[in-house]
Amino acid sequence: MREVEVKILNVNRSKIEASLVQMGAEKIFDDSVEAYFFDFKDNSLANVKSLLRLRREGPLSVLTFKKITSTQGAKVAEETCVDVSNLEMMQKILQSIGLTVKESNQKHRVSYRLGKVHFDFDCYMGKYSYIPEFMEIEAENLQTIHKYAMLLGFKPTDCLPWSTVNLINYYSSADSDK
């Protein structure tokens, strides 16, 4: 599946949620998410702009492989996902073939869907709690993302083609500038 998404920083979630509900969006998720990012010791997945993520989303667990194909305007990735019945056993399987957890995080996510467009509000907990709440918009293409961003009061320049690593680096360097 092709994933096209952007991050928008410094959002007022309650204001945006009200706009989304007014537009007819449906809340589809409101729960915690914990994610584990795996790679080999030599970072061979990251070196080819790929990632392997095992994530618990509320009561569900999902293993996802992403191959980043572009970061021009939006983060574009080919994404393959499979539901996992036992997160802990899947972790053991991945580690037994030489993968290690390179990164992990926990966040609270609130998600809305409006047609084929997804809106996620993420608020990190734990070691990344210093990152302010942000929104992701995912759609079939960048033009649709920009359309909905503008309907919500944002400019196309507010739509960042960032990965989680970019987000962490941005706020970590902002903290060190203080």
Side-chain angles (χ1 to χ4, degrees):
M1 175 177 134
R2 186 170 177 255
E3 174 189 70
V4 181
E5 72 178 24
V6 300
K7 288 179 174 43
I8 299 177
L9 310 182
N10 304 314
V11 297
N12 179 332
R13 179 165 51 106
S14 59
K15 180 181 172 190
I16 298 168
E17 280 181 308
S19 295
L20 287 170
V21 169
Q22 188 175 12
M23 287 189 258
E26 171 191 8
K27 186 187 274 189
I28 57 171
F29 187 80
D30 187 348
D31 207 338
S32 61
V33 174
E34 69 182 285
Y36 302 91
F37 297 87
F38 289 83
D39 204 338
F40 293 99
K41 288 184 173 128
D42 65 357
N43 294 318
S44 57
L45 293 177
N47 291 338
V48 293
K49 297 185 180 186
S50 297
L51 70 84
L52 184 65
R53 178 186 67 210
L54 181 59
R55 182 160 74 181
R56 186 183 331 259
E57 304 168 345
L60 304 175
S61 296
V62 179
L63 180 65
T64 302
F65 177 78
K66 288 188 186 189
K67 172 71 176 162
I68 308 301
T69 59
S70 176
T71 55
Q72 298 297 335
K75 183 178 78 172
V76 180
E78 290 301 321
E79 181 179 83
T80 307
C81 301
V82 64
D83 291 340
V84 174
S85 62
N86 185 316
L87 183 129
E88 291 76 16
M89 289 305 291
M90 189 73 240
Q91 279 182 315
K92 286 181 183 181
I93 291 169
L94 295 172
Q95 290 169 333
S96 72
I97 61 171
L99 291 156
T100 60
V101 175
K102 296 290 188 164
E103 181 60 57
S104 65
N105 61 55
Q106 295 82 34
K107 60 188 169 187
H108 187 86
R109 172 170 276 183
V110 178
S111 301
Y112 287 83
R113 180 178 51 227
L114 182 58
K116 293 182 177 181
V117 183
H118 289 254
F119 304 86
D120 295 321
F121 297 93
D122 287 340
C123 186
Y124 281 102
M125 301 179 283
K127 64 184 174 182
Y128 298 123
S129 61
Y130 61 89
I131 297 174
E133 188 170 33
F134 62 95
M135 177 176 63
E136 289 184 347
I137 302 177
E138 181 179 335
E140 294 177 329
N141 56 57
L142 186 57
Q143 295 76 17
T144 302
I145 289 171
H146 285 170
K147 171 187 165 185
Y148 282 96
M150 290 189 298
L151 287 171
L152 295 171
F154 298 98
K155 301 180 293 267
T157 54
D158 295 323
C159 299
L160 304 172
W162 285 6
S163 67
T164 301
V165 172
N166 296 128
L167 186 71
I168 291 167
N169 290 342
Y170 175 78
Y171 282 108
S172 293
S173 67
D175 282 347
S176 66
D177 292 343
K178 294 177 183 174

